[in-house]
């Protein structure tokens, strides 16, 4: 009988890897986890958690302004970037410690080292220069920011990784990209008083989201002072006596203290030794896996962003858990990647679940659109000119709600709850029979009675 040093070796201690290790250890497996940076992964250390803390910080300027309409006379407010960064670091240190303790408490062994695959059952720990054999290997190394290699002056740019650790807040910033990270950081910097320009090669922000959300978001962030340049991209970055100068292909010349590239992330597979074991990658260099997260090499699995399926932290966690259930718990569980709710912590916030209008029209012969746009109640006194948009998409033949899209305060919180109803295949009649909670913005979801548009496919 073949003997291995451990039952499971995990490369990467992010959300997916840690969950897989804890659950596998709970089933009695011997588990070793290698992490070359910090435990917690992108989300906890340099992603959604610190980003949302920065979002909170950036909203206070408007809160102070809005307070005047409610009878308050705020004093002079000042902002200290270094204090925010220090407070964020303290919280990340706390979370990092919790992740380490939870992993070790489960019985898994954590090794601070880069790990490289040698063969289907062997991994080399680089820091210790030793080999570890494992019955199974799980790759959970996530993704890394992408900056075009042929961009002139690319070494002068920062990614979201560096944005969390800037020594000082710039007076001007150019953010390049049109996805989650780009629009979120544009809102953060703008809210903190930085003159912000957002450059995106596409004709609309947030590809993959409903068109009405995309259009309305641009209108709203431009109201807040963000300059948005679409149909353009960066040609070069150069250093000047005053800072940086970004030039676009359409001829825009943009002075900046920082240039942040947020044009996407790529699977973090480089240098892992996957080729040594014959693991197949796709064109994006992601690990190709089946519905149970197994690669073409039976002993090697992968979860999370490194597989480039749905690149969201809760998905990585669910995939890691399902992997452990399947391989060590005997439960044979796969993850349903449909109907996953998404939130963009832009300003205003976006929450979305289910099909966009375009997708619904492609899938169903008859689609009813229920849509409303209004000024949030708070701004009737604050005087702020900001819209909330809500949209439900219904398959008219079955009456089932197939999509929900919200732009406005707490959109993510609302859509998380709506996602449950879509998972349960709720109908528009179910929404209509639900009592409204007044006065809330969310009550609009159960009080929209007549369709804004009825789409019917001929033939």
């Amino acid at each position: 009988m073949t003997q291995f040093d451990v039952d499971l070796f995990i490369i990467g201690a992010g959300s997916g890897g840690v969950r897989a290790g804890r659950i596998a250890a709970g089933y009695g497996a011997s588990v070793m986890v290698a992490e070359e940076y910090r435990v917690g992964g992108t989300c906890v250390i340099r992603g959604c958690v610190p980003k949302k803390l920065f979002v909170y910080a950036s909203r206070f300027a408007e809160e102070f302004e809005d307070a005047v309409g409610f009878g308050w006379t705020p004093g002079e407010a000042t902002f200290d970037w270094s204090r925010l960064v220090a407070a964020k670091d303290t919280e990340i240190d706390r979370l990092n410690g919790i992740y380490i303790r939870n992993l070790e408490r489960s019985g898994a062994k954590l090794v601070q080292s880069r790990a490289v695959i040698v063969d289907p059952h062997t991994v080399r720990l680089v820091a210790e220069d030793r080999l570890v054999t494992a019955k199974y290997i799980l790759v959970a190394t996530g993704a890394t920011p992408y900056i075009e290699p042929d961009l002139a002056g690319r070494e002068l740019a920062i990614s979201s990784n560096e944005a969390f650790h800037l020594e000082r807040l710039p007076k001007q910033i150019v953010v390049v990209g049109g996805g989650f990270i780009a629009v979120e950081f544009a809102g953060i910097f703008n809210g903190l008083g930085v003159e912000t320009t957002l450059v995106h090669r596409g004709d609309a922000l947030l590809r993959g989201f409903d068109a009405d959300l995309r259009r309305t978001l641009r209108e709203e962030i431009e109201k807040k002072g963000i300059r948005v340049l679409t149909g353009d991209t960066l040609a070069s970055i150069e250093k000047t006596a005053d800072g940086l100068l970004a030039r676009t292909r359409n001829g825009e010349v943009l002075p900046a203290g920082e240039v942040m590239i947020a044009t996407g992330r790529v699977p973090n597979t480089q240098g892992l030794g996957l080729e040594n074991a014959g693991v197949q990658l796709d064109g994006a260099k992601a690990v190709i896996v089946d519905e149970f997260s197994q690669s073409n090499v039976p002993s090697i699995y992968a979860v999370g962003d490194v597989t480039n399926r749905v690149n969201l932290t809760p998905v990585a966690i669910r995939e890691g858990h399902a992997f452990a259930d399947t391989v060590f718990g005997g439960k044979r569980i796969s993850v349903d990647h449909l109907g996953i709710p998404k939130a963009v912590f832009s300003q205003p916030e976006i929450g979305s679940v289910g099909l966009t209008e375009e997708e619904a029209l492609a899938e169903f012969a008859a689609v009813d659109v229920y849509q409303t746009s209004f000024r949030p109640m708070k701004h009737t006194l604050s005087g702020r000119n900001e819209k909330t948009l809500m949209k439900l998409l219904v398959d008219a033949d079955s009456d089932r709600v197939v999509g929900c899209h919200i732009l406005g305060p707490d959109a993510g919180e609302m859509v998380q709850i709506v996602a449950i109803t879509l998972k349960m295949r709720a109908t528009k009649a179910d929404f209509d029979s639900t009592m409204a909670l007044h006065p809330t913005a969310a009550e609009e979801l159960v009080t929209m009675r007549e369709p804004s548009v009825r789409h019917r496919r001929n033939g």
Side-chain angles (χ1 to χ4, degrees):
M1 183 175 176
T2 303
Q3 294 295 315
F4 298 101
D5 296 326
V6 294
D7 296 317
L8 173 62
F9 191 101
I10 301 173
I11 305 177
S15 297
V18 167
R19 175 60 64 90
R22 290 175 58 195
I23 301 304
Y27 284 126
S30 57
V31 179
M32 182 177 289
V33 184
E35 173 56 58
E36 64 179 322
Y37 183 50
R38 302 185 73 187
V39 177
T42 295
C43 180
V44 173
I45 305 301
R46 50 185 178 268
C48 35
V49 171
K51 172 203 67 188
K52 196 166 184 186
L53 295 176
F54 279 16
V55 169
Y56 286 138
S58 67
R59 289 175 177 170
F60 280 105
E62 286 192 350
E63 293 290 332
F64 297 145
E65 292 175 358
D66 291 347
V68 175
F70 292 86
W72 289 88
T73 305
E76 182 180 355
T78 59
F79 173 69
D80 187 328
W81 169 256
S82 61
R83 283 176 57 194
L84 171 62
V85 172
K88 176 265 299 178
D89 287 343
T90 298
E91 174 61 8
I92 300 311
D93 287 345
R94 185 184 74 86
L95 294 174
N96 177 64
I98 289 173
Y99 265 69
I100 291 173
R101 287 192 296 275
N102 286 344
L103 189 59
E104 293 180 336
R105 197 174 293 141
S106 73
K109 178 178 175 59
L110 176 65
V111 180
Q112 293 282 336
S113 173
R114 181 171 182 80
V116 177
I117 294 172
V118 176
D119 63 40
H121 292 284
T122 309
V123 176
R124 182 170 69 89
L125 292 170
V126 175
E128 303 175 14
D129 194 24
R130 71 179 172 104
L131 300 179
V132 177
T133 60
K135 186 174 183 180
Y136 298 101
I137 296 170
L138 177 67
V139 180
T141 49
T144 190
Y146 174 77
I147 299 178
E148 287 192 33
D150 58 351
L151 173 65
R154 68 189 300 275
E155 70 281 357
L156 300 171
I158 63 170
S159 70
S160 55
N161 288 353
E162 294 76 34
F164 291 115
H165 302 284
L166 294 175
E167 291 185 7
R168 60 186 65 84
L169 198 62
K171 292 182 179 179
Q172 298 168 305
I173 192 165
V174 175
V175 180
V176 184
F180 285 71
I181 296 172
V183 298
E184 289 171 340
F185 270 97
I188 289 167
F189 285 116
N190 180 67
L192 295 177
V194 180
E195 183 182 319
T196 304
T197 301
L198 182 60
V199 181
H200 175 47
R201 71 174 67 223
D203 58 359
L205 303 174
L206 293 178
R207 181 170 58 88
F209 282 79
D210 189 86
D212 286 312
L213 286 187
R214 301 172 75 188
R215 173 183 50 78
T216 306
L217 177 68
R218 176 172 181 167
E219 292 171 358
E220 293 300 315
I221 67 174
E222 286 182 326
K223 283 182 194 174
K224 293 177 184 290
I226 297 174
R227 186 185 180 198
V228 181
L229 303 176
T230 51
D232 201 358
T233 189
L234 219 57
S236 66
I237 310 168
E238 59 188 78
K239 194 166 183 60
T240 70
D242 299 320
L244 300 176
L245 203 62
R247 299 181 187 273
T248 75
R249 298 200 183 280
N250 289 351
E252 294 280 351
V253 180
L254 306 170
E258 298 286 353
V259 176
M260 177 178 166
I261 307 295
T263 50
R265 296 171 65 82
V266 293
N268 189 18
T269 53
Q270 188 172 0
L272 291 181
L274 292 163
E275 67 282 357
N276 297 333
V279 175
Q280 292 180 354
L281 307 181
D282 66 13
K285 303 300 183 183
V287 179
I288 299 172
V289 293
D290 66 11
E291 61 182 315
F292 298 103
S293 296
Q294 188 176 37
S295 76
N296 64 298
V297 178
S299 60
I300 298 180
Y301 289 71
V303 297
D305 292 7
V306 76
T307 68
N308 201 30
R309 287 177 283 184
V310 178
N311 298 335
L312 297 170
T313 298
V315 178
I317 292 172
R318 186 68 63 88
E319 290 171 355
H321 199 132
F323 155 79
D325 283 340
T326 299
V327 175
F328 297 101
K331 297 181 181 179
R332 197 73 176 160
I333 295 175
S334 63
V335 175
D336 181 3
H337 290 93
L338 298 177
I340 296 171
K342 299 177 288 186
V344 184
F345 296 104
S346 49
Q347 301 181 49
E349 189 173 304
I350 281 176
S352 179
V353 63
L355 303 179
T356 66
E357 185 171 346
E358 184 179 48
E359 290 168 341
L361 291 174
E363 185 166 336
F364 301 107
V367 176
D368 288 340
V369 180
Y370 295 81
Q371 184 167 322
T372 184
S373 179
F374 55 92
R375 176 191 264 190
M377 185 177 180
K378 175 183 176 182
H379 296 321
T380 60
L381 294 189
S382 76
R384 188 170 300 282
N385 179 24
E386 184 173 303
K387 287 182 187 175
T388 284
L389 178 129
M390 294 188 175
K391 183 173 184 177
L392 292 176
L393 298 165
V394 178
D395 169 20
D397 290 334
S398 67
D399 197 44
R400 184 164 64 91
V401 179
V402 296
C404 176
H405 310 284
I406 302 173
L407 179 144
D410 302 315
E413 305 290 346
M414 285 186 269
V415 161
Q416 174 66 90
I417 305 304
V418 174
I420 300 171
T421 69
L422 265 65
K423 193 74 172 176
M424 298 175 69
R425 303 178 71 84
T427 63
K428 184 61 169 62
D430 292 326
F431 276 61
D432 292 344
S433 64
T434 301
M435 192 68 73
L437 178 61
H438 183 74
T440 65
E443 69 180 298
E444 296 288 335
L445 293 170
V446 299
T447 58
M448 291 186 285
R449 300 298 185 194
E450 294 298 322
S452 309
V453 180
R454 297 181 190 267
H455 296 287
R456 299 295 182 266
R457 190 186 305 161
N458 294 327

